[in-house]
Amino acid sequence: MIDLYLCHGNVYVWNASAACDLRERHRIVGTFVGALPRLPRQNVRLGRPLQLMPEETTLLLNKGIARLLDGNIPPKTGEDAAQAVTEHRQQSFREQAEICRNDRKRKLHEMASVIAKGRAAKRKKLAQKEKADDESSSSVSTSDVTSSTWDEHEEEEEPRLSVEEMKELEAKLEKTTGYNEQAFLVQIMTEQVSEETQETIPWNYPTTDTEALRCHVFQDLWEKGYFLTSGGKFGGDFLVYPGDPFRYHSFYIAVCRPRTENMEALDIVRLGRLGSNVKKTVLLCSESETGEINYTSLQWTGMN
Amino acid sequence: MASSEQNETRAGDLTSLLEHPKYKEMLAYGFNNQEQVHVAMLVYLYLSEAKQWEELDVQPCPALQLVTLSGRPTQADDLQVLVPLGKQTELSPQRLRDFLTHVPLPQDELELEEPDLMTKRVTLAICDTDSTVTFYRIRDGFVPPDPPEIVAEKKAKKRQWKKRKGQRTQH
């Protein structure tokens, strides 16, 4: 069940997977109206919340796909709520500390060979320095022997840290890895931490005949398998797509009119002209006497 | 074009329109709709003289109490049915569907098969006060727009047609 939130007369979807679900499984597109946290200073790509048209909401509620909740309820405050947040944050810090420690350990093991090489090189240097000192003061023969065997030994195997050395380094790591709250990431909540059951609220759309006609047409077209979005940009009620709007241009501009409402022939010209300029067919939708939706396609012939 | 002398001839022209045989024929249908008959006459003249349609005829539609035209631009084209309307004519979605249901199909089309009334195509010929006519086609159901390839094809054809027409008038 997808949760929809009614907030100041608009219906929003906040959950990301719900928004994806709506589009992929239920062919409900909606419009993203929120700023993207990482790309705030533009409005080419917007993010959640997803705002739904009233017709989309009506359809989802009628089909039992979603439920409507009150989005106006402010988050809970008070001792319990503050406690829950603090606990949640402490838990997050503990987890982060653990991850940090394990990360450093892993790095240590990765660097083991490098450390070993470094230590071996250092020892070699020291040995050579001693050798030089010895040569300048004591007999040549003994130091020659010792230093030459030492050198041979080094070149034979690759330097590795012994188990004791490793343990020593790890112990040092434990000491130096502190619990620094300043360095941890803090999650900014977009939902309440504590689970709460919410009651659904009523949805009062459609109320007028015009609205009812729009809803009926929307549902009918949706049931036929089309994707529908708002048609305001093209002077109609809906835009009708044969597939996902991301991949297709719309084919039709749906214009809803009551069956017996008169318009001038000039209005037909207006609609037709609009449609032909944008390479779409205007679809005049009206409800028949028997309650089904009739569609009349309007196209410019270009005979002029 | 608007000198006082010409004004007199214009009045004369108007009278001659009313004396056009086709006009008289349409009046004879007995629909009490002189305005629509007048518009039908303008559309008839436009299509036959200006657009030079190969075939064009008038017929009554008693169910709608309207004069309709039928014809084809060239022999190769399909037969079309046109409903002439003044731009201020009031139309409702129901009225448009009535057009689709009741507009008479030309005789030869009827012979073909049992036509599903709602798959008819009707062309609305909407006429302005200065006698400009715009044509819009209505059909029942969903008529998807032409895919881009067809659009390009049609454009090319049109260009060719215009070229040929230009050559013809040069003779």
Side-chain angles (χ1 to χ4, degrees), chain B residues 14-86:
Chain B
L14 273 174
T15 330
S16 70
L17 179 74
L18 298 176
E19 286 172 8
H20 196 289
K22 280 296 175 192
Y23 186 78
K24 291 189 171 162
E25 192 184 319
M26 291 191 277
L27 276 180
Y29 295 151
F31 305 138
N32 236 336
N33 198 344
Q34 197 175 29
E35 196 194 304
Q36 203 257 336
V37 172
H38 185 80
V39 169
M41 191 67 236
L42 289 172
V43 177
Y44 182 91
L45 284 174
Y46 178 72
L47 291 176
S48 59
E49 308 298 326
K51 287 292 171 184
Q52 303 193 326
W53 274 31
E54 298 263 357
E55 247 182 70
L56 188 63
D57 205 3
V58 292
Q59 63 221 52
C61 181
L64 298 169
Q65 292 280 297
L66 293 173
V67 176
T68 64
L69 305 174
S70 69
R72 60 181 102 224
T74 64
Q75 279 303 324
D77 290 309
D78 291 331
L79 207 58
Q80 272 185 56
V81 182
L82 302 108
V83 181
L85 300 161

Side-chain angles (χ1 to χ4, degrees), chain A residues 3-216:
Chain A
D3 288 342
L4 308 178
Y5 292 89
L6 179 64
C7 188
H8 298 129
N10 291 324
V11 178
Y12 300 110
V13 180
W14 286 96
N15 187 290
S17 47
C20 287
D21 212 28
L22 279 176
R23 189 162 184 143
E24 287 162 20
R25 278 181 54 209
H26 303 292
R27 281 181 289 114
I28 294 293
V29 179
T31 320
F32 283 108
V33 296
L36 286 170
R38 294 191 184 182
L39 293 169
R41 292 177 195 232
Q42 53 85 35
N43 60 2
V44 177
R45 275 270 169 266
L46 295 175
R48 284 173 288 151
L50 185 74
Q51 185 171 333
L52 299 183
M53 290 194 289
E55 291 82 18
E56 290 175 317
T57 310
T58 306
L59 184 120
L60 289 171
L61 295 175
N62 283 347
K63 300 278 178 186
I65 297 169
R67 62 175 185 160
L68 190 64
L69 302 170
D70 194 345
N72 285 324
I73 297 177
K76 277 186 86 178
T77 52
E79 278 297 313
D80 291 340
Q83 182 73 5
V85 173
T86 316
E87 267 175 35
H88 187 271
R89 189 171 294 178
Q90 290 300 323
Q91 176 60 20
S92 164
F93 286 170
R94 281 193 288 272
E95 285 170 13
Q96 285 185 60
E98 185 63 37
I99 292 170
C100 181
R101 209 175 299 127
N102 290 339
D103 207 43
R104 291 188 81 178
K105 239 193 214 170
R106 186 176 52 83
K107 276 222 181 89
L108 177 66
H109 283 266
E110 277 174 17
M111 299 289 279
S113 59
V114 179
I115 297 169
K117 277 197 187 131
R119 286 189 174 180
K122 214 176 183 180
R123 270 176 278 182
K124 198 175 173 184
K125 246 194 181 167
L126 269 169
Q128 280 179 347
K129 191 161 169 254
E130 276 174 28
K131 185 182 167 193
D133 287 341
D134 280 347
E135 277 184 334
S136 60
S137 57
S138 62
S139 56
V140 181
S141 50
T142 29
S143 47
D144 268 331
V145 173
T146 41
S147 56
S148 58
T149 45
W150 185 264
D151 284 326
E152 278 170 44
H153 200 73
E154 281 297 326
E155 268 148 8
E156 269 167 28
E157 37 177 275
E158 216 182 277
R160 277 166 67 221
L161 292 175
S162 65
V163 181
E164 296 87 42
E165 282 180 315
M166 195 49 128
K167 280 232 167 79
E168 194 195 314
L169 283 167
E170 281 181 6
K172 250 196 200 165
L173 202 70
E174 286 287 318
K175 278 213 194 128
T176 54
T177 310
Y179 187 87
N180 183 10
E181 288 197 356
Q182 295 295 315
F184 290 135
L185 297 170
V186 175
Q187 182 180 10
I188 298 175
M189 303 299 182
T190 52
E191 273 187 317
Q192 279 182 215
V193 173
S194 47
E195 288 284 330
E196 244 189 52
T197 47
Q198 273 192 283
E199 295 277 316
T200 60
I201 56 174
W203 174 238
N204 300 320
Y205 186 92
T207 50
T208 68
D209 284 338
T210 318
E211 292 173 357
L213 176 61
R214 284 181 60 130
C215 278
H216 194 174

Side-chain angles (χ1 to χ4, degrees), chain A residues 263 265 281 295-297 299 304, chain B residues 89 91 133 137 139 141 143:
Chain A
M263 47 184 163
T281 300
Y295 299 100
T296 311
S297 290
Q299 281 182 314
N304 306 49
Chain B
T89 315
L91 301 163
V133 194
R137 202 160 285 148
R139 264 185 90 171
V143 182

Side-chain angles (χ1 to χ4, degrees), chain A residues 251 279, chain B residues 144-153:
Chain A
F251 277 5
K279 297 194 193 70
Chain B
D146 292 330
E149 312 91 59
I150 307 282
V151 171
E153 226 184 86

